[in-house]
Amino acid sequence: MFKRNELNFLRLLFFASIGLLINMIRKPPLKEWLIIFLFKSYIASILDNLAVKKGYITYPVRIFRTFDISVLFSYLIFPVTCVYYNHASKDSKLPGIVIKCLLFSIPSAIAEHFIEKNTKLVQYKKGWNSYYSFISIAFSFLFVRLFMAVVRKVEKVQANN
């Protein structure tokens, strides 16, 4: 019974994320949002796979059982959230970028903490905790944001040549 509720919760997250993704791709600049989405998916899958292989995190209940990682989180929820973070911080200076990073990272870490404590969707092992999740979430948001700042700068230089 508990597993059925968790799978329903994952389905709800899936459809909500798809809705947010559709909303996201309707707004310009589509090319940037897709770069962010795909780059974040790539980073999240590497980090998630590493954490699972090292035994820090497990996902006992998964929609796609053939994968050890949370495909829904790594390839949909986290990348969509990162696109919205980049959209919110696109024209911000460093203090605004950091504050907005916290505004996106803290709720994500709190949600993961709640899910870890109350479901079998994610389990922390080997000393992993919500603080490490928060740090990894915030770092990856900032890393992707920095990457996109570099992409935008290079694109501007190339357009001027």
Side-chain angles (χ1 to χ4, degrees):
M1 177 71 171
F2 198 53
K3 186 175 180 180
R4 182 181 176 110
N5 290 336
E6 290 166 335
L7 285 173
N8 287 337
F9 180 65
L10 287 176
R11 289 180 185 113
L12 174 70
L13 288 175
F14 173 78
F15 288 115
S17 296
I18 291 294
L20 290 170
L21 178 65
I22 290 168
N23 183 54
M24 171 197 72
I25 62 174
R26 295 176 352 153
K27 299 176 183 177
L30 176 62
K31 179 175 65 173
E32 283 190 20
W33 303 153
L34 290 175
I35 291 170
I36 294 164
F37 183 86
L38 295 171
F39 188 59
K40 181 63 167 190
S41 298
Y42 181 72
I43 290 171
S45 65
I46 290 172
L47 294 176
D48 205 8
N49 196 27
L50 183 62
V52 168
K53 295 279 189 236
K54 294 286 185 180
Y56 295 122
I57 298 174
T58 61
Y59 300 99
V61 177
R62 300 180 301 274
I63 291 179
F64 305 104
R65 292 180 184 97
T66 56
F67 298 97
D68 291 336
I69 66 171
S70 174
V71 172
L72 181 61
F73 180 74
S74 294
Y75 293 113
L76 192 58
I77 296 170
F78 208 18
V80 167
T81 306
C82 191
V83 170
Y84 279 93
Y85 162 69
N86 271 269
H87 178 67
S89 67
K90 183 177 180 184
D91 297 321
S92 300
K93 302 290 183 212
L94 186 58
I97 291 168
V98 172
I99 289 169
K100 289 172 184 172
C101 178
L102 294 174
L103 291 174
F104 278 82
S105 301
I106 291 171
S108 295
I110 289 170
E112 185 175 305
H113 176 79
F114 176 81
I115 290 168
E116 193 271 334
K117 294 295 181 193
N118 296 295
T119 71
K120 297 286 184 201
L121 297 176
V122 61
Q123 291 181 337
Y124 298 155
K125 308 281 186 183
K126 290 186 176 181
W128 191 268
N129 59 43
S130 298
Y131 176 73
Y132 294 132
S133 288
F134 165 72
I135 294 298
S136 64
I137 291 167
F139 174 76
S140 65
F141 277 147
L142 291 172
F143 183 72
V144 172
R145 177 66 176 74
L146 174 64
F147 174 78
M148 284 310 298
V150 171
V151 167
R152 288 179 189 116
K153 194 165 276 250
V154 168
E155 187 176 47
K156 188 181 267 188
V157 167
Q158 288 177 344
N160 290 333
N161 288 336

